[in-house]
Amino acid sequence: MEKITSFTVDHLRLVPGVYVSRIDQVAGTPITTFDLRMTKPNCEPVMNTAEIHTIEHLAATFLRNHKEFAEKTIYFGPMGCRTGFYLILSGEYTSKDIIPLMIEMYQFMADFEGDIPGAAAKDCGNYLDMNLPMAKYLSKKYLDEVLLSITEQQLNYPN
Ligand SMILES: [Zn+2]
């Protein structure tokens, strides 16, 4: 089988950032897939499942309630390698276009207090597997070290 596009990105040269992975045409509408890379692949510890799960619940809730992007949000979920997340939006974007949205979203998560949305047996398949303090810590780290001072190298995949 052919190697799919996302495996052709050189993970040895990747730094945490916000990248456009692909733009697909679905029934005549462009759909943009973003890679939100929160840790440096194969260089620093990956995130644990509990904090990834918490970020998934918080970010999905944030996006689906957003005044501008609720209607455009198709998917938000974790990468299997536990180094980041996928965001899929309806429309054609550059990674720079969504930095304000990502700052807003990661600020929301860094500041979050109270009950995690959807963290109940009725609403989730593993609702006890949550770690809000670590989700907040990682969100703040990504905000401070990546989003608030993002460089071209953190917006475009190495060729
Ligand atoms: Zn869940």
Side-chain angles (χ1 to χ4, degrees):
M1 285 194 278
E2 269 182 58
K3 200 170 174 181
I4 64 171
T5 320
S6 57
F7 296 150
T8 64
V9 174
D10 185 353
H11 285 68
L12 298 173
R13 291 164 62 206
L14 264 191
V15 291
V18 176
Y19 302 96
V20 170
S21 161
R22 52 189 296 140
I23 298 174
D24 294 289
Q25 300 291 331
V26 180
T29 304
I31 304 284
T32 306
T33 301
F34 300 94
D35 294 347
L36 307 174
R37 301 215 171 251
M38 292 180 61
T39 66
K40 183 159 169 45
N42 305 309
C43 285
E44 58 178 314
V46 296
M47 297 178 280
N48 289 311
T49 315
E51 43 265 31
I52 288 183
H53 189 198
T54 305
I55 290 173
E56 181 196 27
H57 276 232
L58 292 176
T61 301
F62 171 87
L63 289 164
R64 298 203 183 278
N65 284 282
H66 195 274
K67 55 188 182 319
E68 189 186 344
F69 284 93
E71 297 296 305
K72 300 186 171 80
T73 300
I74 291 173
Y75 175 76
F76 179 89
M79 293 178 175
C81 58
R82 295 191 276 136
T83 63
F85 292 87
Y86 298 112
L87 168 64
I88 306 179
L89 295 177
S90 171
E92 193 169 339
Y93 305 89
T94 64
S95 44
K96 212 170 217 164
D97 293 336
I98 65 151
I99 298 305
L101 177 68
M102 291 300 96
I103 290 174
E104 203 186 326
M105 183 171 94
Y106 276 86
Q107 192 72 63
F108 167 80
M109 297 194 286
D111 295 341
F112 191 84
E113 296 289 343
D115 296 336
I116 299 160
K122 190 169 166 284
D123 305 331
C124 169
N126 191 7
Y127 77 104
L128 292 174
D129 196 14
M130 293 284 177
N131 188 339
L132 182 60
M134 270 311 288
K136 292 175 62 146
Y137 169 86
L138 291 166
S139 296
K140 177 97 171 76
K141 188 171 187 286
Y142 190 57
L143 251 186
D144 291 346
E145 294 177 11
V146 179
L147 296 173
L148 292 173
S149 56
I150 199 148
T151 62
E152 287 299 317
Q153 196 201 2
Q154 295 172 307
L155 287 163
N156 301 297
Y157 272 136
N159 296 312

